[in-house]
Amino acid sequence: MAKYVYSFGKDSTDGDATMKNLLGGKGANLAEMAKIGLPVPSGFTITTEVCTYFYANGHQYPPELEAQVNDAMVAIEKTMGKKFGDHKDMPLLVSCRSGARESMPGMMDTVLNIGLNDRTVEVLAKESQDERFAWDCYRRFVQMYGDVVLDMKPKTKTDIDPFEELLEAKKHKAGVKEDSELKPAHLKELVKEFKAAVKKQTGKDFPDDPMEQVWGAVGAVFGSWMNDRAIVYRRMYGIPHEWGTAVNVQAMVFGNMGDTCATGVALTRNGATGEKGITGDYLVNAQGEDVVAGIRMPKRIEESLNKDMPTSWEEFSKVAMILENHYKDVQDIEFTIEKQKLWMLQTRNAKRTGFAAVRAAVDMVNEGLITPEQAIARIPANDVTQLLQPVFGGAGLKGKKEIAKGINAGPGAATGQIYFQPDEAEAVWQKKNDAEIILVRLETTPEDLRGMKVAKGILTSRGGAASHAALVSRQMGKACVCGCEAINIDYKTETMTIGDKTFKKGDWISVDGFTGKVYEGKVPTSPSEVLQVLFEKSLKPKDAPLYQCFQQLMSWSDRFRKLDVRANADNPKESNEAIALGAQGIGLTRTEHMFFDHIDDFRKMILSETIADREKALAPLLKHQQTDFEGIFRAMSGRPVTIRLLDPPLHEFVPHEEKDQAELAKKMGIKPADVSRRVKELHEFNPMLGHRGCRLGIVYPEITRMQATAICQAAVAVMKEGIDCHPEIMIPLIGNITEFRNQEKIIREAATAVFKKAGVTPDYLVGTMIELPRACVTADKIAEGAEFFSFGTNDLTQTGLGISRDDYGTFINEYREMDIFSDDPFQTLDQDGVGGLMKIAVEKGRSARSDIKLGICGEHGGDPASVKFCHKIGLSYVSCSPLRLPVARLAAAQAAITEKKEKAAKKTSGGCECCKDGCKCCCCCKCGCRG
Ligand code: ADP
Ligand code: MG
Ligand code: MG
């Protein structure tokens, strides 16, 4: 019989940490904690397979489930020594908690205090000798159950929440401010009123039967897998909708039974900076959700838990270390202290910023806890870019007014305009994708996710380092300052007031997530610590701890990776920066960028009517280009440099406004009408597929000749200075070998002429960019001539998908919303389509020329998933913009390590690494090999 229910607790535990796919992260880790002897309230997990079944069978459960749940309930009763729904002795209460394979904080629903009704509440009051506590639990339960299970949660910001309204009215009547000041009599009245509200809105009585309550909650948790915010979250983090969630039913323990009780959330290392030591938030005499919800300002564990509860603190810090050593990773822990007894409710690998990820991983290697390989594998490659992002500091802060200070929750510097409503922020961003927004909220909730996503920074007045705002912004890598109590926010008037100064919606502020400081107006940024060491040389490595971590991680990555990394760079400055960030060569120099620096000469060439005129106009350009190339060759001192010949259509270089055309005519000494006629001639309906790339050099061979001559003369000049030089001349947009042969002939003739005259012959290659489907499918033919291929995946995506990058903005958002595309194909390589074309080209290219050099120079060269794909299909290098180089280095190392692991796993078990610890079905096996 299929096993759908897995028990955990002191007496016996069925699952363990390796079973995340089946039990969800929360369930698997609860089982693991129970297994290693930590204090976990007993409970059971209903597997993710039931969720899949639930959605495949019209919200029905497998028939075997009920009996298995009943048995598991009995097991909890035995271990905890209490009975569910007991009318005589202390009753057992349970929570019902969601838990997917990867944690989705706050995205799905949880119900606490299940099992209470008018009779059990009396027993709870008597046995706990605390009437207020019992009725407070009951009040919370009816409210949570109503919101989550009976779907009474307000749907929009303007809907009223019947429970909140009744609660407010009660507080008003009682003349108190805080929920905690309500007397038992008030709470009793509230429960009655809540239940009446349920009856009124749903037409049904609130369920009294404890088991019926459990099933209601289980159904609601499974149902919450498909709520809007969970779907948005999964899309954002690439979690497949098919995974489903597990449900955990667990004995309740109480942090709200007086001042010897508490509840809290902690990290074993600082989630923002990675520094060693427990940090976190807790509340005395409170229940679970209060801490994360930001309703009451929590206390900081590292500051006062040891004073408030010395014995519990000691036990807790011990358990936290056990967990970190056991999982060998930073842990994010939820716990409750009931009358001085510690209970563990959750542990998971902590979400962290890029800073913390790098710092903690490098520290752990140095502490001997993990290997360099493990450190590399666990840092999301994109996260290292955070270490290069600009910060506030130095001269930029001069004259800037610090207006408030909060908790430094998500590092980074952000300047933007204040918005208070997440949906408005999103709307502003939809209109203008480069809008700079600071989202200012009392606290954030999962509903605010879309607004948080588009904000540059987040500022909240409530909530601590473990609040929702802090957690989510850390994961998104956004600057966040939270718990900034000095700020008074008024959503109605859309203002925030600090002291006597009021800020309105749209006003500019700046937040520094490193220091927690908030500034008035725009604050200019300065380079990050890493770049101060590498580019500016204004900091010494020994004075830059973050740089040291970065450098250590990069050197380990270089040790493991097989792919070379190159940079896309157009001038000596960029070339130097690229080398500082680890470039082993240049994969793309765009020659047209140089033409913009000498635009008048270039325009003269375009306006020439005869070949003789054109050649005359090209002469000064040759000089300029040669100088530019010499600079790059010198900077790269012997590393290979790929130079692409002129690519964009000529109309991009001429003025389109009448006024500018008249000015140009004057400068060139020709008639304005001649300029405008030439501009009109150059007009194309679809320039992306027009007269560009090699088609220019074929119609205007003198341009190709000039560029080849400039490259070769520059190489010769530099070699004569004693600097080695390896130019690779790249012809763009080749679709046919005949095009290649045409251009190759011109290039080789120019090269021979230059070298003969100089008496020096550098090593040089002539190759092509592969950016047309025709080039891919005829790559064997093209490789007969081309000595290297470089995949221009920007154009290959445009031509392969038939989607213009300049126009796809009008529909890509809808495509992503509707899951028609899981990723933006211009950011992450479309591996099946464009990647499929690349595979064909690689295979055919190699069949004709076994030692052909293969690289990629599109934007995708700096995207982790695409880099890993390039490793898989056996390219020799990836090339990306200099600031993406660290990402490429790390991703390339990760690809090599994964490959090594997969090979080892195949040898030992015949299954692949990712499937080894779980299910091998088509939706679980990530790599598609199905074990
Ligand atoms: P989330 O996934 O949103 O964190 P959880 O299932 O972890 O939701 O529940 C939120 C909080 O509720 C927990 O951090 C914990 O404080 C409290 N909680 C859940 N189950 C129990 C329980 N059995 N006893 C006491 N508190 C609980
Ligand atoms: Mg939790
Ligand atoms: Mg191109």
Side-chain angles (χ1 to χ4, degrees):
M1 195 177 66
K3 186 171 170 63
Y4 291 119
V5 174
Y6 286 70
S7 290
F8 57 83
K10 192 158 71 68
D11 291 338
S12 88
T13 295
D14 301 335
D16 62 43
T18 64
M19 298 167 71
K20 282 204 177 95
N21 295 359
L22 192 63
L23 304 181
K26 198 180 285 165
N29 285 333
L30 282 167
E32 184 80 7
M33 285 198 289
K35 242 189 184 149
I36 62 174
L38 299 182
V40 176
S42 297
F44 59 85
T45 305
I46 305 176
T47 68
T48 53
E49 281 174 2
V50 176
C51 188
T52 310
Y53 185 103
F54 180 79
Y55 281 107
N57 292 280
H59 295 203
Q60 300 287 318
Y61 301 117
E64 305 93 315
L65 186 66
E66 190 174 343
Q68 293 186 19
V69 164
N70 290 338
D71 289 350
M73 277 305 275
V74 172
I76 303 183
E77 292 180 334
K78 266 202 194 126
T79 316
M80 300 304 286
K82 296 178 194 167
K83 279 212 150 44
F84 193 53
D86 200 331
H87 292 173
K88 283 210 296 293
D89 294 318
M90 186 72 156
L92 172 71
L93 302 185
V94 296
S95 65
C96 183
R97 320 170 62 187
S98 60
R101 217 190 277 192
E102 268 176 41
S103 94
M104 301 170 40
M107 290 304 127
M108 288 179 298
D109 293 323
T110 290
V111 183
L112 305 182
N113 306 328
I114 299 171
L116 281 172
N117 55 33
D118 293 345
R119 291 176 72 182
T120 51
V121 72
E122 296 292 356
V123 190
L124 184 66
K126 196 176 98 228
E127 291 294 322
S128 66
Q129 298 175 349
D130 189 342
E131 200 183 14
R132 205 207 103 78
F133 154 74
W135 283 91
D136 186 47
C137 286
Y138 198 14
R139 189 278 297 174
R140 287 169 188 260
F141 169 58
V142 178
Q143 180 167 1
M144 254 184 162
Y145 197 91
D147 276 343
V148 171
V149 184
L150 306 175
D151 200 27
M152 290 172 66
K153 206 179 277 175
K155 301 282 181 294
T156 67
K157 296 250 179 238
T158 47
D159 280 359
I160 31 171
D161 181 333
F163 301 123
E164 283 303 322
E165 207 175 44
L166 290 167
L167 184 62
E168 282 310 310
K170 188 65 62 192
K171 284 195 285 191
H172 186 76
K173 200 174 134 219
V176 301
K177 267 184 139 169
E178 301 290 333
D179 302 1
S180 55
E181 294 170 276
L182 289 172
K183 297 267 175 313
H186 298 130
L187 295 167
K188 280 183 195 175
E189 288 165 23
L190 264 180
V191 168
K192 255 206 194 114
E193 291 161 15
F194 279 9
K195 285 184 165 183
V198 167
K199 175 94 193 196
K200 191 168 152 221
Q201 191 165 331
T202 67
K204 287 195 201 112
D205 285 323
F206 189 87
D208 272 338
D209 176 48
M211 227 32 225
E212 186 187 339
Q213 294 171 354
V214 169
W215 284 109
V218 168
V221 170
F222 281 138
S224 68
W225 176 253
M226 285 295 175
N227 70 31
D228 177 59
R229 57 178 206 247
I231 293 173
V232 171
Y233 185 94
R234 289 200 289 275
R235 194 174 292 133
M236 199 180 313
Y237 292 102
I239 299 174
H241 299 313
E242 302 78 41
W243 279 5
T245 180
V247 174
N248 301 288
V249 174
Q250 187 177 25
M252 282 299 300
V253 290
F254 300 101
N256 53 340
M257 287 174 86
D259 288 341
T260 56
C261 304
T263 182
V265 193
L267 298 183
T268 54
R269 300 186 192 219
N270 188 308
T273 65
E275 271 163 288
K276 221 180 153 155
I278 294 174
T279 58
D281 302 333
Y282 73 103
L283 280 173
V284 173
N285 195 10
Q287 200 165 40
E289 309 266 278
D290 300 357
V291 178
V292 255
I295 295 163
R296 259 164 75 189
M297 187 67 189
K299 293 171 137 184
R300 315 222 33 192
I301 293 179
E302 64 275 27
E303 280 168 8
S304 52
L305 188 61
N306 62 346
K307 281 172 233 144
D308 284 350
M309 303 179 173
T311 40
S312 299
W313 158 251
E314 206 170 296
E315 189 184 357
F316 176 70
S317 40
K318 241 188 238 149
V319 169
M321 282 313 105
I322 291 175
L323 282 172
E324 193 182 274
N325 285 324
H326 184 73
Y327 285 96
K328 300 189 191 306
D329 202 346
V330 184
Q331 293 301 294
D332 176 338
I333 299 168
E334 294 176 9
F335 65 96
T336 281
I337 298 166
E338 180 182 316
K339 304 209 161 158
Q340 293 194 354
K341 162 133 186 68
L342 174 70
W343 290 100
M344 303 305 292
L345 290 171
Q346 193 171 336
T347 194
R348 61 182 170 216
N349 294 342
K351 309 250 184 224
R352 58 204 105 175
T353 62
F355 297 90
V358 172
R359 170 88 188 257
V362 171
D363 281 355
M364 283 183 180
V365 173
N366 294 332
E367 288 162 25
L369 202 59
I370 57 173
T371 63
E373 268 176 89
Q374 287 171 313
I376 290 168
R378 78 166 49 150
I379 299 169
N382 261 330
D383 279 13
V384 290
T385 53
Q386 286 179 30
L387 278 68
L388 308 180
Q389 275 160 17
V391 296
F392 293 148
L397 281 176
K398 232 183 223 136
K400 296 296 163 189
K401 195 169 161 218
E402 179 186 330
I403 48 176
K405 191 163 182 243
I407 296 168
N408 50 340
T415 285
Q417 289 177 285
I418 299 174
Y419 282 90
F420 296 98
Q421 295 305 337
D423 20 6
E424 189 176 3
E426 197 192 13
V428 168
W429 183 85
Q430 290 281 13
K431 273 198 214 116
K432 200 167 156 277
N433 279 10
D434 57 353
E436 293 182 292
I437 294 165
I438 305 285
L439 186 67
V440 179
R441 302 282 297 163
L442 293 172
E443 73 263 326
T444 63
T445 65
E447 277 91 7
D448 302 344
L449 210 61
R450 286 161 179 270
M452 297 172 80
K453 194 174 146 190
V454 301
K456 290 265 177 295
I458 292 153
L459 173 63
T460 70
S461 61
R462 294 185 197 153
S467 65
H468 179 265
L471 207 74
V472 173
S473 58
R474 276 208 288 279
Q475 191 180 8
M476 292 182 178
K478 280 190 205 276
C480 173
V481 172
C482 63
C484 198
E485 289 171 275
I487 300 181
N488 276 308
I489 297 170
D490 187 341
Y491 289 144
K492 275 211 193 92
T493 56
E494 306 206 283
T495 56
M496 95 179 183
T497 311
I498 302 169
D500 49 14
K501 170 103 194 166
T502 298
F503 295 81
K504 295 189 300 295
K505 179 172 88 180
D507 285 350
W508 288 84
I509 55 167
S510 302
V511 295
D512 186 340
F514 287 106
T515 59
K517 290 179 182 172
V518 183
Y519 300 91
E520 188 176 332
K522 300 184 194 182
V523 175
T525 53
S526 27
S528 68
E529 186 182 308
V530 171
L531 296 190
Q532 282 183 46
V533 175
L534 289 176
F535 288 6
E536 317 247 305
K537 314 243 185 307
S538 54
L539 246 183
K540 295 230 165 57
K542 69 170 174 43
D543 302 322
L546 194 62
Y547 165 80
Q548 291 171 17
C549 287
F550 170 81
Q551 205 50 25
Q552 220 170 357
L553 178 68
M554 286 299 117
S555 71
W556 291 331
S557 301
D558 294 347
R559 211 157 80 200
F560 289 105
R561 70 184 158 87
K562 294 194 186 131
L563 275 173
D564 281 355
V565 295
R566 294 195 188 184
N568 298 348
D570 300 333
N571 55 52
K573 180 172 170 279
E574 286 174 12
S575 308
N576 282 322
E577 293 177 351
I579 291 173
L581 288 171
Q584 294 160 285
I586 289 180
L588 176 64
T589 289
R590 299 174 175 92
T591 47
E592 58 270 17
H593 285 192
M594 304 166 173
F595 289 140
F596 279 106
D597 296 337
H598 313 287
I599 190 72
D600 285 343
D601 290 328
F602 196 67
R603 285 170 168 172
K604 199 177 228 162
M605 190 278 295
I606 295 175
L607 294 169
S608 302
E609 302 279 349
T610 64
I611 297 183
D613 279 353
R614 194 153 40 240
E615 284 191 329
K616 219 160 81 200
L618 281 167
L621 284 172
L622 190 151
K623 278 222 181 75
H624 295 314
Q625 291 235 292
Q626 183 179 332
T627 317
D628 288 339
F629 294 141
E630 282 177 24
I632 294 175
F633 291 153
R634 268 185 215 110
M636 295 309 292
S637 52
R639 297 175 182 85
V641 176
T642 306
I643 298 169
R644 178 179 70 184
L645 302 181
L646 183 64
D647 181 43
L650 296 182
H651 78 87
E652 284 189 16
F653 300 92
V654 291
H656 290 89
E657 299 283 322
E658 207 174 303
K659 185 176 119 266
D660 301 330
Q661 289 179 357
E663 220 167 83
L664 179 65
K666 205 165 140 202
K667 237 192 228 165
M668 303 278 154
I670 54 176
K671 283 193 277 218
D674 287 340
V675 175
S676 79
R677 178 184 43 82
R678 184 73 182 125
V679 172
K680 271 195 203 110
E681 281 167 12
L682 291 173
H683 173 78
E684 292 176 322
F685 285 103
N686 197 344
M688 181 187 93
L689 301 175
H691 195 184
R692 53 168 293 210
C694 67
R695 300 160 196 173
L696 288 169
I698 288 170
V699 174
Y700 307 113
E702 53 280 5
I703 298 180
T704 302
R705 194 171 308 121
M706 177 280 283
Q707 290 202 293
T709 306
I711 294 168
C712 294
Q713 287 182 1
V716 165
V718 170
M719 297 232 343
K720 285 192 170 162
E721 293 168 17
I723 301 169
D724 200 14
C725 185
H726 297 281
E728 301 172 346
I729 302 173
M730 178 157 76
I731 309 167
L733 214 72
I734 290 288
N736 199 309
I737 179 65
T738 49
E739 291 172 317
F740 183 85
R741 290 292 188 200
N742 170 295
Q743 291 291 286
E744 185 198 12
K745 183 160 175 280
I746 299 168
I747 294 165
R748 295 219 186 263
E749 279 169 8
T752 313
V754 172
F755 299 155
K756 204 165 159 198
K757 198 165 141 207
V760 183
T761 303
D763 266 342
Y764 79 105
L765 303 176
V766 184
T768 173
M769 211 149 162
I770 298 284
E771 42 195 343
L772 295 176
R774 191 181 197 286
C776 295
V777 296
T778 62
D780 46 348
K781 294 267 165 28
I782 293 173
E784 282 171 15
E787 292 170 302
F788 67 89
F789 286 170
S790 175
F791 289 99
T793 46
N794 298 344
D795 270 317
L796 191 56
T797 300
Q798 297 201 95
T799 56
L801 270 58
I803 290 179
S804 140
R805 185 162 62 155
D806 305 307
D807 300 309
Y808 85 130
T810 51
F811 58 86
I812 187 67
N813 286 341
E814 281 79 356
Y815 264 49
R816 298 275 287 111
E817 287 279 320
M818 289 188 258
D819 293 312
I820 289 175
F821 283 179
S822 58
D823 292 295
D824 177 340
F826 290 100
Q827 279 172 20
T828 280
L829 195 75
D830 159 35
Q831 295 187 7
D832 293 339
V834 177
L837 288 168
M838 289 169 73
K839 274 193 206 158
I840 294 174
V842 167
E843 209 170 280
K844 292 204 158 185
R846 283 227 173 91
S847 74
R849 185 187 291 272
S850 59
D851 65 343
I852 190 165
K853 240 188 186 179
L854 300 166
I856 178 176
C857 63
E859 295 296 315
H860 303 97
D863 167 71
S866 314
V867 170
K868 289 173 190 170
F869 178 78
C870 292
H871 171 98
K872 243 190 198 154
I873 64 169
L875 299 195
S876 19
Y877 68 86
V878 296
S879 188
C880 57
S881 60
L883 289 176
R884 298 294 299 178
L885 280 164
V887 176
R889 289 160 80 185
L890 184 56
Q894 289 172 343
I897 289 169
T898 310
E899 184 184 62
K900 197 171 119 189
K901 274 198 215 155
E902 277 172 10
K903 272 192 190 147
K906 270 225 178 83
K907 254 188 221 146
T908 54
S909 75
C912 87
E913 184 67 15
C914 64
C915 311
K916 231 175 45 177
D917 61 359
C919 174
K920 294 172 187 168
C921 78
C922 58
C923 35
C924 291
C925 172
K926 271 196 203 165
C927 72
C929 76
R930 300 199 198 171

